[in-house]
Amino acid sequence: MSGKTIQNENTMGTEKVSRLVISTGIPLMLSLLINSMYNFVDSVFVSRVSEDALTALSLAAPVQVLVSAMGLGNAVGLNAAISKALGEKRPDKVRKAADAAIFIALCSWVFIAVLCVLFVKPYFIWQAGGNGVIAAYGQSYLAVCMLFSFGQMGQWVFDRFVMASGKPQLFLFTLSAASLTNLILDPVFIFGMFGVPRLETLGAAIATVIGQIVGMIAGILINRRWNREIPFSFTLQPDQESIFAILRVGIPSTMVQILTSVVSVMINSILLAFSSTAVAVYGVCVKIQSIVTVGCHGINNGMIPIVAYNYGAHKPDRIEKAVRWALLYSALLYLAFFIALTAAPGTVLKMFDASDYMLEIGKPALRILAVAWFFSMPNLVYAASLQGLSMGIKSMYLTMMRQAVFPILLIFIFRRIGILNLIWSAFALAECLAIPFALHLWRDSKTVYISGMYENRITEKQAMRKMTGTQKTIKEDNRMMSRKLVAYFSASGVTRKAAETLAGAAGADLYEIRPQIPYSAADLNWMDKKSRSSVEMNDSASRPALADMAAGIEKYDVIFIGFPVWWYTAPAIIRTFLEAYDFGGKVIVPFATSGGSGLGNTAKTLQELVPAAAVKDGKLLNGGLDAGELKKWAESFEN
């Protein structure tokens, strides 16, 4: 249901967009900065061990991306699913999505542990290029990170709970707990302090997983205490529909990260042909990127639930404003870093105890990659926006093009020339080539989804002016010939739009099922158990009175009945409508609009109300509707 009252409206649907985007993004920036800093400092500490140890961490990085991909996909999916359910005012969906996300996190950890046992040792034998020291450093580090990754998987979930509910400031505390723990323990375990033996890369891994476990525990406690808007529990029998909703958005993000991991392995292999130092430079630049682009990533991570919430609440104007502000903020937040990286790259590299040769390779690399990161800003913003619209596939296409297809094609071309700086240039050129593709995807999405929402936002007063007591049809020229009727009930205008489109495509007459007493916003407040709609839906005997009896059912053979899905079924007024007329010998085809729920057993329930009719399995008519497909579907019910 879309009804809401002002006092219950989440700030993501009411606060000024320019302020909302930055206020949501700042806590995430700080959290991501802390997270990036401990990865950054991790590499700084390890670089003091040896360049071989630093190279081992660079080789481990693609596999860590793979591990993170499991958590990220779940996080992106649950973020969109829960924010959308909150926008729709559906606490039942919120609870089910939260429980499903915890179950997916558990399964992800088990899968990662199995991968560790099977592949870590062969991977480093392959990637280390025969250097046994690098292989040993890498194996000890990565094995611990993967076997104890349950902390990381859990942290992804509980961090995103607070983001999805519009409380990113709580995310700061959960991630800070993990990051500060890691920062404190890193030197202790790496170099050996306070009686702890010197463990080098193994010590870095131990500090990392302890920090992740602390972050997970902090996330559980903080959500229980301050984020009760998202209740959760552990179950081995999660709601399958919720799992599907999360995976539908999350799998594309996971696949992109997996592909990114594969691309990184390929790049490391290519760079290793130049020197192991080139691999170390690439690893250092990735760490630097995670810090200097933290502003853009904070803005984007905060924008996903903003877009998702307003998509669920049917507020397209706020979605467009959020995207524009995100583009501006991202560019401004990166500008100072861009100047510093291009002006003094050597100063930055010396923090990693860079040798003369590493400085020779690294300075031009850092300058070129700084340009690449600048051009990545619009691509990152549009990818996040698509995720917020639950268009994970399109977001995946964009990320694949900019992080995999374009870079790999260009790198394979440039490596034949044998100039290392051309390899770095491939990343910048790839981002430039991806920008037109990103613009195309976003404009196409606006046409299909956001423009559709504008059309759906018809007030009840406007709708009443459009309809007369005799119920005008969409196509007057088909009025006398039509044997099909599209009858619909619409509370907010969304189902009306679907009904009008179906009637036009099918050449059917159109009739609005209106209650004698129109529903007010308070009546539609499903959060109030005493509201009119809540009372009606909790009483199977409820039959709201109809405004008229002018449907003329006797004139039609096929009747399409449309409605918004309330409490996983048809609204009570549909029961009134079916019992008010003689449907004997008629074919009834239900259709519905919904923010996430399917029709379930609606057809069976309706059949019980009209045993003399033939009730067919219907379908959801959400989003962009193709008139040709609707016409074929409608014709399939004709004798």
Side-chain angles (χ1 to χ4, degrees):
M1 293 179 63
S2 58
K4 56 184 180 293
T5 56
I6 296 298
Q7 62 267 31
N8 288 322
E9 181 72 70
N10 190 292
T11 56
M12 287 190 286
T14 59
E15 188 173 342
K16 188 176 180 181
V17 175
S18 58
R19 185 185 305 115
L20 179 64
V21 171
I22 193 67
S23 64
T24 303
I26 285 176
L28 295 173
M29 291 177 214
L30 295 174
S31 299
L32 291 171
L33 179 61
I34 294 171
N35 185 52
S36 299
M37 279 301 295
Y38 86 71
N39 286 327
F40 182 87
V41 173
D42 219 27
S43 295
V44 171
F45 283 141
V46 169
S47 69
R48 265 57 179 181
V49 174
S50 69
E51 190 172 297
D52 283 343
L54 182 61
T55 301
L57 262 62
S58 297
L59 293 176
V63 183
Q64 288 183 289
V65 170
L66 175 63
V67 172
S68 295
M70 306 297 294
L72 175 63
N74 190 19
V76 169
L78 76 87
N79 205 356
I82 291 178
S83 293
K84 190 165 182 282
L86 288 170
E88 294 168 348
K89 306 294 187 294
R90 292 290 305 274
D92 54 326
K93 287 178 63 179
V94 172
R95 175 62 179 263
K96 290 177 179 178
D99 293 349
I102 294 172
F103 177 79
I104 293 171
L106 174 65
C107 295
S108 299
W109 168 58
V110 173
F111 180 70
I112 291 166
V114 172
L115 286 181
C116 174
V117 173
L118 295 177
F119 297 112
V120 165
K121 185 175 180 179
Y123 170 77
F124 275 102
I125 292 174
W126 167 45
Q127 281 286 289
N131 189 320
V133 175
I134 292 177
Y137 276 137
Q139 288 177 44
S140 61
Y141 177 80
L142 195 55
V144 171
C145 290
M146 294 179 72
L147 288 174
F148 295 91
S149 61
F150 62 86
Q152 183 182 9
M153 296 301 105
Q155 192 180 352
W156 274 112
V157 170
F158 296 110
D159 283 351
R160 263 46 184 189
F161 281 178
V162 295
M163 287 175 58
S165 60
K167 301 181 179 73
Q169 66 277 8
L170 296 179
F171 179 34
L172 176 63
F173 293 105
T174 61
L175 190 53
S176 295
S179 303
L180 292 175
T181 300
N182 184 79
L183 285 171
I184 293 170
L185 295 181
D186 245 346
V188 174
F189 287 106
I190 292 174
F191 303 114
M193 297 180 179
F194 310 112
V196 176
R198 179 184 175 95
L199 299 174
E200 300 183 340
T201 56
L202 174 61
I206 293 173
T208 296
V209 298
I210 291 176
Q212 290 167 349
I213 294 170
V214 169
M216 178 185 69
I217 294 172
I220 294 172
L221 296 176
I222 287 173
N223 276 280
R224 288 289 192 197
R225 178 64 178 84
W226 290 292
N227 194 32
R228 295 179 181 177
E229 192 173 1
I230 302 180
F232 60 89
S233 61
F234 176 74
T235 176
L236 292 176
Q237 294 181 320
D239 178 61
Q240 293 185 359
E241 185 176 341
S242 297
I243 288 180
F244 176 76
I246 292 172
L247 295 181
R248 181 178 57 193
V249 178
I251 284 180
S253 294
T254 298
M255 295 305 297
V256 166
Q257 291 301 307
I258 291 173
L259 183 60
T260 301
S261 174
V262 173
V263 170
S264 295
V265 171
M266 296 173 66
I267 292 171
N268 282 337
S269 299
I270 292 171
L271 292 174
L272 199 59
F274 288 91
S275 69
S276 62
T277 302
V279 176
V281 166
Y282 178 59
V284 165
C285 288
V286 171
K287 302 293 184 184
I288 294 170
Q289 179 189 14
S290 68
I291 291 180
V292 299
T293 60
V294 74
C296 179
H297 286 295
I299 291 293
N300 291 333
N301 285 335
M303 186 177 62
I304 291 174
I306 294 173
V307 172
Y309 182 95
N310 288 286
Y311 177 42
H314 302 289
K315 296 182 177 180
D317 53 329
R318 292 180 62 81
I319 294 175
E320 292 189 283
K321 288 178 181 177
V323 172
R324 289 197 294 268
W325 281 106
L327 287 168
L328 177 61
Y329 289 142
S330 295
L332 293 176
L333 289 167
Y334 177 66
L335 186 59
F337 289 111
F338 176 76
I339 295 172
L341 292 175
T342 53
T347 303
V348 177
L349 290 171
K350 285 179 181 178
M351 289 189 291
F352 295 87
D353 201 25
S355 63
D356 291 341
Y357 182 51
M358 187 173 178
L359 288 172
E360 180 185 344
I361 294 176
K363 285 181 182 180
L366 200 51
R367 286 194 176 101
I368 294 169
L369 290 174
V371 175
W373 301 333
F374 179 79
F375 286 123
S376 73
M377 298 296 150
N379 296 324
L380 292 169
V381 170
Y382 288 126
S385 304
L386 292 169
Q387 289 176 5
L389 290 177
S390 295
M391 302 179 70
I393 297 295
K394 287 189 175 182
S395 179
M396 179 185 72
Y397 290 157
L398 172 56
T399 308
M400 284 177 59
M401 296 303 289
R402 58 174 285 267
Q403 289 190 346
V405 177
F406 290 149
I408 287 299
L409 286 175
L410 292 169
I411 286 172
F412 271 96
I413 293 172
F414 293 160
R415 75 167 182 168
R416 296 178 179 275
I417 302 175
I419 300 175
L420 183 56
N421 285 342
L422 287 178
I423 302 297
W424 313 126
S425 301
F427 293 98
L429 185 55
E431 295 290 359
C432 292
L433 293 174
I435 291 175
F437 185 63
L439 288 170
H440 168 73
L441 289 177
W442 177 243
R443 288 169 180 167
D444 180 65
S445 301
K446 286 204 303 181
T447 300
V448 175
Y449 284 88
I450 298 182
S451 297
M453 279 193 283
Y454 274 119
E455 295 173 359
N456 288 340
R457 295 178 65 192
I458 303 174
T459 65
E460 292 296 326
K461 185 175 180 180
Q462 290 172 320
M464 290 297 293
R465 284 200 296 263
K466 291 175 67 178
M467 305 298 295
T468 67
T470 57
Q471 305 293 328
K472 291 183 179 180
T473 63
I474 292 295
K475 294 191 175 222
E476 293 294 336
D477 57 334
N478 289 332
R479 184 176 180 85
M480 300 304 296
M481 299 174 59
S482 176
R483 301 290 294 174
K484 298 185 290 292
L485 174 69
V486 174
Y488 70 93
F489 164 69
S490 181
S492 63
V494 177
T495 307
R496 175 182 298 109
K497 180 62 181 178
E500 290 173 346
T501 304
L502 175 60
D509 290 341
L510 189 67
Y511 173 82
E512 182 179 9
I513 303 169
R514 294 182 293 118
Q516 187 177 81
I517 302 175
Y519 289 93
S520 67
D523 292 336
L524 297 173
N525 181 15
W526 56 267
M527 297 183 70
D528 181 2
K529 294 183 178 179
K530 295 182 179 180
S531 71
R532 176 183 168 189
S533 58
S534 297
V535 172
E536 289 177 354
M537 295 308 293
N538 286 317
D539 181 6
S540 60
S542 176
R543 298 294 186 272
L546 298 170
D548 62 67
M549 291 286 292
I553 296 299
E554 68 279 358
K555 297 185 296 183
Y556 303 99
D557 299 320
V558 180
I559 299 97
F560 296 89
I561 299 180
F563 47 85
V565 175
W566 288 5
W567 282 268
Y568 303 99
T569 189
I573 196 170
I574 299 300
R575 299 195 293 258
T576 308
F577 177 73
L578 290 174
E579 293 176 351
Y581 296 91
D582 179 10
F583 285 90
K586 309 295 184 182
V587 174
I588 296 176
V589 185
F591 68 93
T593 56
S594 170
S597 303
L599 283 168
N601 295 321
T602 301
K604 181 180 178 181
T605 302
L606 299 184
Q607 183 69 77
E608 294 173 354
L609 296 173
V610 283
V615 180
K616 305 294 185 180
D617 290 331
K619 66 188 300 183
L620 294 177
L621 300 183
N622 290 327
L625 302 175
D626 183 87
E629 292 296 324
L630 287 178
K631 182 179 180 182
K632 291 180 182 179
W633 179 63
E635 290 175 347
S636 69
F637 299 104
E638 296 179 359
N639 294 328

